[in-house]
Amino acid sequence: MTASIGGADMPVVITLLNSYSGWALCAEGFILDQPLLTVVGALIGSSGAFLTKIMCDGMNRSLTNVILGGFGTSSGAVQTQEGLVHTEIDVAGTVAALKDSDSVCIVPGYGLAVAQAQGAVAAIAKQLTDAGKTVSFAVHPVAGRMPGQLNVLLAEAGVPYDIVYEMEEINEEMDNVDVTMVIGANDTVNSAAEDDPNSQIAGMPVIQVWKSKHVVFMKRSMASGYAGVDNPVFYKENTDMLLGNAADTCEQIKQGLAAK
């Protein structure tokens, strides 16, 4: 069943398989006449089913499309498209842009979780807030490996809940943001989902980071995300790429902001 499913859809499959295991346990409870197994199995099965639906809704795709949509397609990550040129920025330039801004939006993705950079990011947010900047976090419904993963990481790092916004809320304010820092996110901020009807992620709701005045993309490389789709936002005039390990880069930005 999972042969045609790419990395971006695997979390959906995991929750679906969890649901299956719950219903199997429920059936086993009926067969063995064990009410406890039946109840626990029903809870696991229903929670897995609910979570699967939430993730499919977050990607604007049906479960059938997730499971069967990859048959007959090629796999592999997409690199920078030929003829498209991106611009890069260093840590010093990023620090200067943050200091000159009035409002900053931070968009975390799975890369932040992998790099375990949430502590440094929370410190950066506090430094900017103390400097009088308006700071917000934008979290996509399916960011990370499971819904809510990034919310949990930010909460553990001490980020105030009232500055963490859902996708629909932050998209309404993105035109007023001076600097958007995208940390380890890719497919969830890909403008091709809205602009390219032939894209593999067409129709997927995304955070419209490209509408802010300046976008700083923090990634390890220019490779595509798990969906294997190149991101046109990389090459927009208001986007700069800050390539490198997110944990190291965020730590350097924190130190740069602390320097007088």
Side-chain angles (χ1 to χ4, degrees):
M1 185 184 75
T2 61
S4 67
I5 299 168
D9 296 333
M10 282 308 296
V12 180
V13 178
I14 292 171
T15 60
L16 181 62
L17 294 178
N18 282 339
S19 180
Y20 286 168
S21 69
W23 297 125
L25 184 63
C26 184
E28 184 179 357
F30 276 115
I31 294 171
L32 300 178
D33 193 22
Q34 293 289 332
L36 181 60
L37 288 180
T38 303
V39 172
V40 172
L43 289 174
I44 296 174
S46 58
S47 61
F50 290 145
L51 191 54
T52 301
K53 184 181 187 305
I54 291 171
M55 297 180 73
C56 287
D57 290 344
M59 296 188 294
N60 197 28
R61 296 169 62 191
S62 67
L63 181 60
T64 302
N65 180 266
V66 172
I67 301 301
L68 303 178
F71 279 110
T73 61
S74 58
S75 60
V78 176
Q79 302 293 327
T80 303
Q81 292 184 6
E82 184 177 356
L84 295 178
V85 179
H86 69 276
T87 57
E88 295 188 11
I89 192 172
D90 57 12
V91 171
T94 303
V95 170
L98 292 173
K99 288 184 176 180
D100 292 339
S101 66
D102 291 323
S103 61
V104 177
C105 179
I106 301 174
V107 184
Y110 181 61
L112 179 140
V114 172
Q116 292 292 294
Q118 63 268 22
V121 171
I124 291 172
K126 186 176 187 307
Q127 288 173 313
L128 293 172
T129 302
D130 292 344
K133 319 292 184 184
T134 301
V135 181
S136 58
F137 284 80
V139 179
H140 193 279
V142 294
R145 277 294 173 263
M146 298 286 281
Q149 179 185 12
L150 274 303
N151 299 79
V152 172
L153 288 178
L154 294 177
E156 289 178 346
V159 175
Y161 179 78
D162 59 352
I163 66 171
V164 179
Y165 296 90
E166 298 293 336
M167 174 184 62
E168 294 83 1
E169 297 173 312
I170 203 65
N171 278 345
E172 297 177 357
E173 304 295 331
M174 197 57 73
D175 289 329
N176 301 320
V177 175
D178 293 324
V179 177
T180 298
M181 290 178 58
V182 181
I183 308 175
N186 197 334
D187 297 329
T188 56
V189 294
N190 193 328
S191 62
E194 295 187 358
D195 301 335
D196 184 2
N198 297 318
S199 173
Q200 294 178 356
I201 60 172
M204 173 180 168
V206 293
I207 299 175
Q208 300 165 340
V209 297
W210 60 90
K211 290 186 176 181
S212 63
K213 298 179 179 63
H214 185 192
V215 182
V216 177
F217 243 105
M218 298 172 60
K219 284 172 53 67
R220 286 183 177 273
S221 68
M222 291 296 295
S224 63
Y226 285 104
V229 180
D230 200 19
N231 193 339
V233 181
F234 294 168
Y235 318 109
K236 292 184 179 293
E237 293 183 359
N238 64 331
T239 300
D240 290 319
M241 306 298 299
L242 180 57
L243 304 179
N245 180 277
D248 296 337
T249 305
C250 288
E251 191 65 33
Q252 293 173 31
I253 292 174
K254 183 180 74 171
Q255 296 173 1
L257 292 172
K260 300 300 182 181

